[in-house]
Amino acid sequence: MTDEKTIEKLELNKILAEAASFAVLEESKRMLAETRPTAELAEAERMLSLTAEADAALFLHGAGRVEAFPPLADEPERAQKGAALSCGELLAVCGLLRSARVAYRSVLALPPEESPLLREIVSGIYFDETLENDISEKILSPDEVSDYASDELYNIRRSIRSLNERIRAKLAELVGGESAKYLQDGIVTMRDNRYVLPVRAEHKSRIRGFVHDRSASGATFFIEPEQVLEMNNELRELAAAEKEEIERILLQLSRRVGNMAGQLRGDIARLTDLDCAYAKAEYSYKNKCIRPRLNAKGVVDIRKGRHPLLDAKTAVPVSLSLGGNYRMLLVSGPNTGGKTVTLKMCGLFCLMAACGIFLPAAEGTEVAVFQDVFCDIGDAQSIEENLSTFSSHIKNIIGITQRAGADSLVLIDELGGGTDPDEGQAIARAIISFLLSRGCRGIVTTHYTALKEFAYAQGGIENASMEFDRTTLQPLYRISIGVPGSSNAIAICRRLGLSEEILQDAVANLSEGGRQFENILRSAEQSRIEAEEEKKRADALQAEWSAKLAEVNSLRDTLQKEREKLFLTAKVESRRIVNERTGRAEELLAGIEEIAKKSELTEADLIRARTLKNRLADTAFESEKEEQPQPSSRPVDISALHAGDAVFVRAMNARGEVLSVNLKKKEAEVLVGSMRLTVKAKELFAVSAPRKPQERVQVVRKVEPVAAVQTEINLLGKTVAEAVQEVDAFIDRAVLAGLEEVKIIHGMGTGKLKEGIRNHLRTMKNVAEFRSGVYGEGAAGVTVVKLK
């Protein structure tokens, strides 16, 4: 179990305090501040799931937070034993009932599949809306009961108000009458809740009544006049009755509270749990945290993690992993480079997850749930125990080595520091070897070169370094796993302004082996940083071109689909047009044949035959006009191509018109539909001439000359059906006669005849347009028709 010292060193208490600040209830704030990490994987998963549900409830579905209510001490228990609660205590119970009701309904409104744990919490919540309403209506404030709390109380208070008015009226008579000259002041005051008059001492015998008090100087006596004595007595009785009725109302409400004392205690516990979950969710949301994956295998994989107590705008994200191919990390690098912060972040993340709090890291982050987390961080020098820095560190290390095991996370900052370097690094190697043999996971920071060499040779531990920019002499606060880091102490001293003479002397004092090792490390580190920068640029360029290629491919696929859709639509439409025209032509031919079979033809038959013939001609003309020329298999000769020539564009499977020719590039600009395309000569083919239409059968019948055709027709009094039939014959005669414009007289009337005629005119092939007559032509009672 993680001890309190570790929690304080890793600053989990600060994280819990910040999360508690988002809680609404005082009990929730206390509970969150006292939360301790669990060592059970299942419990940690449950707490994280609860936080995830609370996060979705608040920030996805807009659920309301837990409503605040005053803390309850022993009020439910006292009410259960028969005690009457005060107005303020009953209002606190009312707040609890309202909070329980709102929380219950809020959670039940969430999607069931997204809130199983929240529903489990509120499933046992009890609330009594009737009691809640009774308390809120009858209790106005912590000191006041409503007049309408009961009929009896209403009547008593009405009587009190009435009696007060009578008493004040009577006293006003005394103050303003003959007795006024005996009074010290012309005012009415109160003593012992009774109305009295301030009478001068020398005139006290002039006012008959009861003396209640006198002033400190003895100059004024406060006398209750006998005229209001009985009314004051009655007022006292009414006040006592009011008090008794209020106590009865409070006792009645308190008994109802006492009957549910156990349920109210359960409500407090459940609302506290709910409030804690919402507080964790809000903390995680405000700090842009994610839910980590958990495991019990000791694997820690932090991706772009940020210590939650650092400023999110300036903190540099750190990624690290351990527990897989290696169980421990030996982190080296410059001072102020972020070693200690990284070490603390690793331990803090494991503890936060075990408390059900999300982590400020990138998606994919995974941490382990450890049985124990041990740490030795910072200067723990103890004056009281007469311990030096080294002694206090070793005391902590002894405790760690005695208790740490395979399920433990061990975090040690500057292991072996504070003493002779040779002895310190020897002790550090021995401690690390011991911890590795016990199967511990952990992170150790160091400046010892010997430990860096040891990590190269020893299995289960891996070197890591905090990066340092040799150009700017500034730490980069990034961790690199696999290579040790140089302390760069001399470079840092130079940046901080230490004399160059001293620095040169310091370099000369370095051992040859140490100097060479540090130079190799610095060179390797610089080369690695440069290689990573180049890789980043290459990756960015590759990502950019991959995105562009994907965009081009997507556009190509879209164009191909549109082209296929266009061709399919064209085929369907052409098939429909052919079928429609064929059917229409067959109907017209059938009509002509039917007329031809008659032995005698009337004028109407001839007109109808001529009309059918014209319609058949129109149909044939449209078919000829819409027939598309077919491409030949012969490519065009680009040198013989001219603007205006018709060509077939194979890529578009459509006919086009040449706009211009570029002989040098062997390409032409072609208009296909509304698109202007530049097409290579090899994609252009000659267009074969369309098939000649079949000769149309002409129906010729010798008829007698007909009389001159009239230019207008009068349809007044006709039905729509009769008028339409006559309009057909009239228009046919006008067309045969070669008239360009005719007049149809239909009158104003109801407008139905006019509308029916005009609707029919819109369907006639030989009608170009029509309009209402103008003044002198018959105005709106006439339709003037222009023929084709």
Side-chain angles (χ1 to χ4, degrees):
M1 188 67 180
T2 303
D3 57 27
E4 293 299 317
K5 185 180 292 187
T6 297
I7 289 174
E8 183 177 347
K9 287 285 187 181
L10 295 179
E11 300 176 290
L12 175 65
N13 55 330
K14 295 181 181 179
I15 302 301
L16 294 173
E18 187 174 346
S21 68
F22 293 103
V24 173
L25 307 177
E26 292 301 321
E27 181 63 18
S28 305
K29 294 179 184 292
R30 183 193 63 79
M31 183 178 292
L32 270 174
E34 295 177 358
T35 299
R36 292 299 175 261
T38 181
E40 299 297 327
L41 178 63
E43 177 62 14
E45 287 283 11
R46 191 196 72 82
M47 289 192 292
L48 286 177
S49 296
L50 182 58
T51 303
E53 290 182 17
D55 178 80
L58 290 177
F59 304 109
L60 181 60
H61 301 295
R65 293 293 305 270
V66 174
E67 285 197 10
F69 56 88
L72 294 178
D74 59 345
E75 290 88 343
E77 289 74 17
R78 285 196 292 111
Q80 190 176 29
K81 294 176 182 178
L85 302 181
S86 67
C87 293
E89 291 170 336
L90 285 171
L91 287 176
V93 172
C94 179
L96 169 59
L97 291 172
R98 180 172 56 253
S99 181
R101 172 176 56 83
V102 171
Y104 178 82
R105 291 176 178 172
S106 176
V107 171
L108 286 192
L110 300 173
E113 66 279 3
E114 296 182 25
S115 55
L117 296 177
L118 292 177
R119 286 171 173 262
E120 181 183 333
I121 290 176
V122 303
S123 63
I125 281 183
Y126 175 85
F127 59 90
D128 186 337
E129 195 167 359
T130 303
L131 176 57
E132 176 194 336
N133 292 335
D134 283 347
I135 294 175
S136 62
E137 291 172 0
K138 294 180 179 181
I139 311 297
L140 299 181
S141 72
D143 304 313
E144 184 180 3
V145 176
S146 171
D147 291 352
Y148 303 98
S150 71
D151 292 340
E152 181 67 18
L153 183 61
Y154 177 80
N155 292 330
I156 291 172
R157 287 183 171 175
R158 183 177 62 178
S159 298
I160 290 174
R161 286 191 292 270
S162 175
L163 188 55
N164 273 317
E165 291 174 2
R166 288 162 49 202
I167 293 173
R168 284 194 292 268
K170 189 64 178 179
L171 291 173
E173 292 178 9
L174 295 174
V175 170
E178 289 292 330
S179 302
K181 57 187 176 182
Y182 306 128
L183 302 181
Q184 188 71 265
D185 298 303
I187 60 172
V188 177
T189 184
M190 295 192 77
R191 287 293 185 273
D192 298 328
N193 291 323
R194 300 176 76 90
Y195 289 99
V196 295
L197 294 175
V199 182
R200 295 175 184 174
E202 62 269 23
H203 299 301
K204 68 176 181 176
S205 59
R206 301 279 185 175
I207 303 296
R208 296 173 61 94
F210 181 78
V211 178
H212 280 273
D213 196 6
R214 71 175 180 174
S215 65
S217 64
T220 304
F221 281 79
F222 296 96
I223 300 174
E224 180 182 3
E226 62 179 6
Q227 293 92 330
V228 297
L229 185 61
E230 288 302 322
M231 287 189 288
N232 270 333
N233 289 338
E234 186 180 352
L235 187 62
R236 293 287 291 269
E237 292 175 3
L238 287 173
E242 178 189 24
K243 182 179 179 182
E244 290 177 1
E245 180 61 16
I246 289 175
E247 290 176 351
R248 187 192 68 79
I249 293 170
L250 296 180
L251 182 60
Q252 184 185 52
L253 293 173
S254 299
R255 285 174 179 169
R256 294 169 66 183
V257 171
N259 291 335
M260 61 179 71
Q263 290 94 327
L264 292 178
R265 281 297 167 198
D267 282 357
I268 294 173
R270 292 177 181 277
L271 289 174
T272 300
D273 289 342
L274 192 62
D275 191 29
C276 287
Y278 284 151
K280 291 178 184 178
E282 190 163 355
Y283 169 85
S284 301
Y285 178 82
K286 293 292 177 63
N287 287 278
K288 300 180 180 179
C289 301
I290 56 95
R291 177 179 180 173
R293 297 197 304 267
L294 298 182
N295 68 81
K297 301 177 181 178
V299 175
V300 176
D301 183 10
I302 298 174
R303 303 184 183 183
K304 296 183 178 179
R306 170 182 57 82
H307 196 290
L309 296 180
L310 295 178
D311 186 352
K313 297 179 181 178
T314 58
V316 179
V318 174
S319 300
L320 65 87
S321 61
L322 60 90
N325 298 330
Y326 48 88
R327 299 193 302 278
M328 299 192 75
L329 274 178
L330 182 70
V331 183
S332 52
N335 291 315
T336 70
K339 299 190 300 298
T340 304
V341 172
T342 301
L343 178 143
K344 294 174 72 172
M345 181 191 71
C346 178
L348 179 59
F349 274 17
C350 294
L351 297 183
M352 287 174 63
C355 290
I357 302 176
F358 289 0
L359 309 180
E363 291 290 347
T365 294
E366 181 176 5
V367 294
V369 177
F370 292 100
Q371 291 293 321
D372 298 286
V373 176
F374 301 101
C375 74
D376 180 63
I377 301 173
D379 186 358
Q381 185 175 16
S382 174
I383 298 175
E384 293 82 358
E385 298 182 17
N386 195 26
L387 293 176
S388 67
T389 299
F390 177 75
S391 299
S392 62
H393 279 307
I394 290 301
K395 185 177 179 180
N396 290 336
I397 297 299
I398 291 172
I400 293 173
T401 55
Q402 290 174 346
R403 292 185 292 159
D407 294 327
S408 301
L409 177 66
V410 178
L411 307 168
I412 305 177
D413 191 26
E414 301 295 347
L415 179 59
T419 187
D420 177 75
D422 288 338
E423 291 184 351
Q425 63 187 13
I427 294 173
R429 287 182 57 174
I431 292 172
I432 292 175
S433 297
F434 177 80
L435 293 175
L436 287 172
S437 68
R438 296 288 293 270
C440 299
R441 271 74 173 172
I443 300 177
V444 175
T445 68
T446 187
H447 288 287
Y448 289 144
T449 300
L451 285 185
K452 301 173 190 177
E453 296 172 350
F454 166 74
Y456 269 124
Q458 181 68 34
I461 185 170
E462 183 68 73
N463 271 304
S465 61
M466 302 306 298
E467 297 181 2
F468 185 80
D469 191 334
R470 294 286 299 173
T471 304
T472 62
L473 303 179
Q474 295 281 352
L476 299 176
Y477 305 107
R478 295 197 301 259
I479 190 170
S480 178
I481 297 176
V483 293
S486 172
S487 296
N488 290 293
I490 293 176
I492 293 174
C493 290
R494 179 176 286 111
R495 177 173 62 87
L496 295 177
L498 187 61
S499 167
E500 190 64 31
E501 180 182 352
I502 298 175
L503 292 173
Q504 292 297 332
D505 191 22
V507 171
N509 291 333
L510 287 174
S511 66
E512 185 63 29
R515 188 161 55 245
Q516 290 179 355
F517 187 77
E518 288 295 319
N519 288 337
I520 291 172
L521 286 182
R522 283 194 290 270
S523 177
E525 186 175 356
Q526 187 64 28
S527 298
R528 180 187 55 76
I529 292 174
E530 292 174 357
E532 286 186 355
E533 292 298 327
E534 290 296 328
K535 184 177 183 300
K536 286 181 182 178
R537 284 193 288 270
D539 290 344
L541 188 60
Q542 182 180 4
E544 180 183 353
W545 282 106
S546 296
K548 290 182 178 179
L549 180 60
E551 183 179 355
V552 170
N553 290 335
S554 175
L555 181 60
R556 183 190 60 189
D557 293 342
T558 301
L559 291 175
Q560 182 65 25
K561 290 178 181 178
E562 289 294 328
R563 176 186 174 188
E564 293 174 358
K565 181 179 178 181
L566 182 64
F567 290 161
L568 180 61
T569 302
K571 288 180 180 178
V572 171
E573 182 64 15
S574 62
R575 188 180 296 112
R576 184 190 65 77
I577 292 173
V578 170
N579 292 338
E580 180 183 330
R581 298 284 164 74
T582 302
R584 195 188 308 168
E586 289 176 353
E587 290 177 3
L588 296 174
L589 286 172
I592 293 173
E593 290 175 358
E594 182 182 350
I595 294 172
K597 291 177 182 178
K598 292 184 178 182
S599 57
E600 294 184 4
L601 298 179
T602 65
E603 181 182 351
D605 291 334
L606 292 175
I607 293 173
R608 181 166 177 249
R610 179 63 179 270
T611 301
L612 293 175
K613 173 189 173 185
N614 291 338
R615 291 180 180 175
L616 182 61
D618 291 341
T619 302
F621 175 72
E622 290 174 2
S623 299
E624 290 172 7
K625 182 172 64 175
E626 293 176 1
E627 184 175 358
Q628 293 290 333
Q630 299 298 315
S632 68
S633 58
R634 174 174 56 84
V636 299
D637 183 359
I638 191 68
S639 60
L641 206 58
H642 301 90
D645 289 350
V647 293
F648 184 82
V649 183
R650 183 172 63 182
M652 297 298 293
N653 194 28
R655 178 184 181 277
E657 179 184 346
V658 176
L659 298 177
S660 63
V661 179
N662 189 330
L663 295 176
K664 185 176 181 181
K665 294 185 177 181
K666 294 185 178 181
E667 61 186 21
E669 186 179 14
V670 181
L671 180 67
V672 178
S674 60
M675 296 184 295
R676 301 171 69 96
L677 306 174
T678 301
V679 186
K680 294 293 184 182
K682 62 182 180 181
E683 293 292 328
L684 299 175
F685 292 83
V687 178
S688 59
R691 296 189 301 273
K692 293 183 179 180
Q694 296 180 354
E695 293 184 1
R696 290 175 288 175
V697 177
Q698 294 185 353
V699 179
V700 180
R701 186 84 175 191
K702 190 173 182 181
V703 297
E704 295 295 328
V706 296
V709 178
Q710 296 178 346
T711 59
E712 65 180 40
I713 183 172
N714 190 335
L715 301 176
L716 293 173
K718 304 286 186 180
T719 65
V720 173
E722 293 171 343
V724 165
Q725 188 173 358
E726 292 195 18
V727 165
D728 278 341
F730 174 64
I731 294 297
D732 286 339
R733 289 194 299 271
V735 170
L736 289 174
L739 298 181
E740 295 182 356
E741 189 174 87
V742 294
K743 185 188 301 182
I744 300 175
I745 303 171
H746 44 66
M748 301 289 288
T750 62
K752 290 185 178 180
L753 179 61
K754 171 184 175 182
E755 186 66 23
I757 292 171
R758 291 192 172 189
N759 287 339
H760 185 65
L761 290 174
R762 292 186 180 95
T763 65
M764 300 183 71
K765 289 283 187 180
N766 294 319
V767 174
E769 60 183 27
F770 57 84
R771 60 177 174 82
S772 295
V774 298
Y775 181 76
E777 292 179 326
V782 171
T783 296
V784 179
V785 182
K786 185 176 181 181
L787 303 175
K788 293 182 179 178

